[in-house]
Amino acid sequence: MRHVELGVFMPVGSNGFLMSKAAPQYQPSFALHREIAQTAEDLGLDYLFSMGKWMGFGGATDFWKETIEPISMAPALAAATSRIKIFATINPLLYKPAVAAKILATIDGISGGRFGINIVTGNTLEEVEQLGVVPEGYTDYRYQYADEWISLIKLLWSQDRTTFEGRFFQVANCVSDPKPVQRPAIQIVSAGLSGEGLAFGVKHSDYQFVGGEPNVMQRLREASAGRDTPLKAATNLMLIFGKTDEEAAAKLDTLIAERDHEALDNLIASFERDNRGSYKVRTDYLRDPRVIGFGNGTPVTGTPKTVAAKLASMITTSGLDAIQFTFIDFVEDLKIFGTESVPELRRLLLDQGVRLSDTLAK
Ligand SMILES: Cc1cc2nc3c(=O)[nH]c(=O)nc-3n(C[C@H](O)[C@H](O)[C@H](O)COP(=O)(O)O)c2cc1C
């Protein structure tokens, strides 16, 4: 029976993912993340996912002014939990592969084999350029760089000694122990929307994020047809609850009415500066007048029962394998989801031959 995993898209940036003056304004703290992680684990969710962002986009809400770093947070979340999987984003520009291999294996050991990585090449070039880490011509070869980086790491994770002569990386007789405890390997996620980004996911990843663009699932299935194991499709959605469907819809309308246009414009400008193949999909999305944030995912509104019904229909028709949720309040709304929506969602999905994890509420 098809299995769908449910996770939380952790709010590692100021104000989570919402660019609206009507949204709660807060800075990301480890205390908040630990509380979300433990709540998600208690509710039986499958995973936590933290993005890695290195700059904010200003505006009235000072969107993402602070962003906490996910690789350094992962072992702390692992120590604060015991079952839930923990995914953290890593950019190959920031760590030499032989160093990353050991750091990631160490975190996997701390977590007892519950760790995964989201490999990214930089949300916008501006974000990584300001760190002073971008080599000449990087835009033209960013996925080749990432491919070589993770290919070498996989060798280091599986061999006693590794000698490697690549275009970007070279090691001679390099040891890397301990190995990850997870078998067959640390789980890999990727989120590239371009042809190259998708090809990278097909070659290396267990999960591939898909956005809302047309035919994306078909593209994914076609591209991954030759793989031994399926490439699982993941996405993010925002859940907005109310005591009635109207109340939930009104909350969304209030967020829309108070959009932070300046932050949205700054983010669009950062994408447009890159002129990447994939930027248009993202700027078209951000120009939609009902968009209230970045990364929050399509809003799904209603009472917990209505939300369950909407999710069941989306899961059944989309073929998605994993969904990570964002919320207005990441603790209280997560509890509502886990206790009030999930049992109904489980029941509706079972009728359609789709299974949720046994750890979730029945
Ligand atoms: C759910 C999701 C999470 C992402 N997280 C990050 C991230 O943490 N850091 C980052 O630099 N890019 C992140 N991205 C951007 C992608 O890695 C990718 O660069 C983007 O989708 C554009 O595709 P392309 O790289 O193939 O051009 C994320 C994308 C998605 C859909």
Side-chain angles (χ1 to χ4, degrees):
M1 191 184 271
R2 192 175 136 220
H3 176 215
V4 173
E5 293 177 271
L6 305 181
V8 180
F9 198 4
M10 303 292 269
V12 303
S14 317
N15 310 337
F17 302 89
L18 295 176
M19 292 179 178
S20 171
K21 286 164 272 177
Q25 312 286 305
Y26 59 96
Q27 301 304 333
S29 68
F30 178 64
L32 172 66
H33 283 74
R34 183 177 48 207
E35 189 178 5
I36 297 167
Q38 291 174 338
T39 305
E41 175 156 286
D42 289 348
L43 293 167
L45 271 78
D46 298 284
Y47 70 98
L48 311 169
F49 182 104
S50 302
M51 61 178 186
K53 301 288 176 185
W54 297 84
M55 64 179 278
F57 296 93
T61 59
D62 221 343
F63 183 65
W64 288 354
K65 175 173 173 41
E66 291 187 15
T67 46
I68 48 175
E69 199 285 313
I71 295 292
S72 45
M73 180 166 71
L77 290 179
T81 54
S82 60
R83 177 197 54 79
I84 198 162
K85 290 194 283 185
I86 296 162
F87 288 93
T89 296
I90 188 162
N91 187 324
L93 284 175
L94 306 176
Y95 303 84
K96 295 282 187 202
V99 178
K102 181 160 271 205
I103 292 174
L104 301 175
T106 301
I107 300 173
D108 192 50
I110 293 168
S111 73
R114 294 183 282 135
F115 184 49
I117 49 171
N118 171 38
I119 303 176
V120 299
T121 60
N123 188 43
T124 65
L125 197 58
E126 184 182 16
E127 180 185 2
V128 274
E129 264 176 1
Q130 47 129 26
L131 302 174
V133 295
V134 179
E136 188 72 34
Y138 173 71
T139 315
D140 300 329
Y141 59 72
R142 59 196 172 101
Y143 277 107
Q144 291 169 42
Y145 188 94
D147 172 36
E148 201 175 295
W149 183 86
I150 188 63
S151 298
L152 173 51
I153 289 179
K154 286 177 174 176
L155 292 176
L156 291 160
W157 281 344
S158 58
Q159 303 184 153
D160 287 343
R161 285 178 180 274
T162 298
T163 296
F164 186 89
E165 268 295 322
R167 174 176 167 200
F168 308 107
F169 306 109
Q170 299 79 34
V171 293
N173 217 16
C174 180
V175 292
S176 188
D177 294 292
K179 307 297 186 206
V181 299
Q182 202 170 157
R183 289 284 170 260
I186 288 177
Q187 303 242 293
I188 297 176
V189 180
S190 50
L193 296 173
S194 60
E196 281 184 297
L198 184 57
F200 176 87
V202 169
K203 181 168 176 190
H204 289 294
S205 303
D206 300 289
Y207 298 83
Q208 173 74 34
F209 272 98
V210 292
E213 62 274 33
N215 303 327
V216 67
M217 288 300 281
Q218 195 187 334
R219 250 178 94 208
L220 180 72
R221 299 291 175 232
E222 281 169 15
S224 59
R227 283 173 48 118
D228 296 341
T229 52
L231 177 57
K232 295 179 189 164
T235 202
N236 32 343
L237 294 174
M238 177 177 189
L239 303 185
I240 301 179
F241 294 110
K243 292 214 169 18
T244 61
D245 290 348
E246 293 70 30
E247 186 187 293
K251 283 188 192 173
L252 175 57
D253 288 341
T254 307
L255 291 170
I256 293 169
E258 295 288 321
R259 276 155 36 105
D260 182 349
H261 292 278
E262 199 185 335
L264 277 162
D265 287 348
N266 291 340
L267 179 57
I268 290 171
S270 193
F271 284 134
E272 288 188 330
R273 183 180 169 274
D274 290 0
N275 199 18
R276 264 184 206 169
S278 58
Y279 93 87
K280 210 177 163 318
V281 176
R282 298 194 284 171
T283 51
D284 281 354
Y285 161 78
L286 287 168
R287 286 207 171 90
D288 183 321
R290 290 185 65 81
V291 158
I292 49 170
F294 182 58
N296 54 304
T298 305
V300 180
T301 63
T303 63
K305 267 199 156 186
T306 303
V307 166
K310 288 182 178 175
L311 290 177
S313 147
M314 286 166 109
I315 290 170
T316 311
T317 53
S318 66
L320 285 164
D321 301 291
I323 305 176
Q324 59 198 34
F325 297 104
T326 71
F327 305 93
I328 295 175
D329 182 323
F330 273 80
V331 176
E332 293 312 314
D333 293 341
L334 173 59
K335 286 182 190 162
I336 293 172
F337 174 61
T339 55
E340 297 179 45
S341 291
V342 163
E344 176 75 359
L345 178 61
R346 179 193 292 288
R347 196 181 60 70
L348 294 170
L349 286 177
L350 266 183
D351 291 344
Q352 303 296 326
V354 181
R355 173 176 81 76
L356 296 178
S357 296
D358 290 338
T359 46
L360 287 155
K362 300 219 167 60

